[in-house]
Every structure is written in structure tokens, then in C-alpha cells.
Amino acid sequence: MKKHDCFSCGKGILKMTDLTEKTLATERKYTGKIISVDLLDIELPDGRKAKREVIRHGNAVAILARRPDGKFVFVKQYRKAAEEALVEVIAGGLEPGEDPVEGAKRETSEETGYEVTSIKFLTTIICTPGYCEERIHLYFAELSETAHAQDQDPDENVHPVVLSEAEVEDGIRNGAIFDSKTLSAWLCWKLAR
């Protein structure tokens, strides 16, 4: 049984009906720098045929990071698809074959200048399963006391933002922090404490 094949309710564990969609054909419609787009011909469990559009994107990591003084380090960057600057957890794509823990440490150092002193896996999420396959591995990391210079990619413009726990929760309540991986990481960290 797969990890997500059943769910728990007040009456116990209920098995779900098999909802698997069989892929009959795949046509690559676009290949870019970080994504590809495929058009799939699929067959539903009852035999009906349909089409699915799927964005292919490698997996990523996202890190909720805390300094020794108890404050959290986020990043602020302009997101062109949203047409605004967002406050988010540290995040980035994994290199082919890269271990997610090592990727999380690398992204933290590159985007903020802080080094990870300890790290804990929280969960793996899929943000937009209706059309994108990307899975994001969420971590909670404790950071070094001081930061060195950032080592951003040439096309990045990332600015570290330091917030207290109360400021983060105020930002979530008032809608200033609304990125899905950030909300997921915050919730998972709160539940794991």
C-alpha cells in the first residue's frame, strides 16, 4: 500500500477506491530552462479517455530556519508569476542526484549566508498537483550565529528577512505571508514541536 492510499477518520482506516489514471501517450509541448510541459492522453479507471497538461519541474527543498537568538530567517524576492515581492522560507531546486539535506544546507548558505548547524526533515509537499509534479522537501534548520556573504545565482535577487515568531504569525494572519511552501513549513514545524 502506498503512503497516501488510505486515510483515518473517526471510524478507523478507510481504503480508497483506486483512482489511478493510466498514461496512454505523452507529447512534449515545451522545454525551458527550469520546466517542461507535457500533454498526456490518459485513461480514467472507468475506461473514459481524457487529456492532462503536466508541468515537469525537478524537486526542491524549503527550509524554515532559526538563528540561535530565536529569530527566523526568511527571504524576500520578487516573483514574476505573482507580480510582487514575497516573504518566503529559504528554498531552491535540487541539482540532479543531490541529496535533499545537502541541497537544503547549500540553499541556506547561498541565499542567506548562514550555515546550518542542525537540520530536521518535516515532510514533503506537492503544491499544485493539478498540473505540476514538483515535490518540495520541507526542513527545519538551526543556524549559525553569524552570516557570511550571500552566494546567489547570477539571476537571483534574494534579500534575507529576520522575523520573530510573533511577527511571522502576524504576517500569516494579515496576509503578508501567503506562499504555500512557507505556510506548510510553518504549520509542520508548529505541529512537530
Side-chain angles (χ1 to χ4, degrees):
M1 183 180 298
K2 291 182 196 171
K3 180 173 149 183
H4 301 289
D5 281 351
C6 60
F7 65 95
S8 168
C9 74
K11 298 178 183 173
I13 302 294
L14 301 177
K15 289 187 178 179
M16 301 284 291
T17 303
D18 183 10
L19 302 174
T20 304
E21 297 178 350
K22 182 179 177 184
T23 301
L24 304 174
T26 303
E27 182 183 354
R28 178 66 38 99
K29 291 294 194 175
Y30 173 78
T31 301
K33 180 181 169 188
I34 62 170
I35 68 161
S36 297
V37 180
D38 288 344
L39 178 62
L40 282 62
D41 291 320
I42 62 108
E43 181 179 335
L44 297 164
D46 64 4
R48 290 179 293 143
K49 306 291 191 280
K51 294 199 179 282
R52 299 286 185 257
E53 298 167 342
V54 178
I55 295 175
R56 306 293 185 187
H57 184 283
N59 292 336
V61 291
I63 308 93
L64 175 63
R66 183 173 63 189
R67 300 188 319 191
D69 65 1
K71 294 198 173 184
F72 293 85
V73 179
F74 289 82
V75 293
K76 188 171 188 175
Q77 60 186 317
Y78 193 84
R79 294 297 198 173
K80 191 62 184 166
E83 289 292 0
E84 63 184 292
L86 302 179
V87 174
E88 308 173 19
V89 289
I90 302 155
L94 290 170
E95 303 295 334
E98 184 177 28
D99 176 74
V101 170
E102 294 308 311
K105 291 176 180 179
R106 175 184 51 76
E107 285 293 336
T108 301
S109 178
E110 288 175 1
E111 291 192 357
T112 70
Y114 287 93
E115 297 301 324
V116 171
T117 60
S118 70
I119 191 163
K120 178 184 174 187
F121 175 74
L122 295 172
T123 195
T124 299
I125 61 170
I126 185 164
C127 295
T128 51
Y131 59 86
C132 185
E133 69 176 359
E134 178 188 35
R135 293 174 190 264
I136 304 175
H137 307 292
L138 303 181
Y139 292 91
F140 171 70
E142 299 283 2
L143 301 178
S144 58
E145 194 167 331
T146 58
H148 55 74
Q150 293 170 275
D151 184 23
Q152 298 180 29
D153 292 336
D155 61 350
E156 286 185 315
N157 186 21
V158 179
H159 300 274
V161 175
V162 178
L163 301 169
S164 68
E165 186 171 341
E167 289 170 324
V168 174
E169 293 191 344
D170 285 346
I172 292 169
R173 278 189 207 94
N174 69 28
I177 297 173
F178 62 95
D179 165 67
S180 64
K181 68 187 172 300
T182 301
L183 298 176
S184 297
W186 190 258
L187 174 64
C188 289
W189 172 72
K190 295 286 278 192
L191 292 174
R193 294 196 310 178

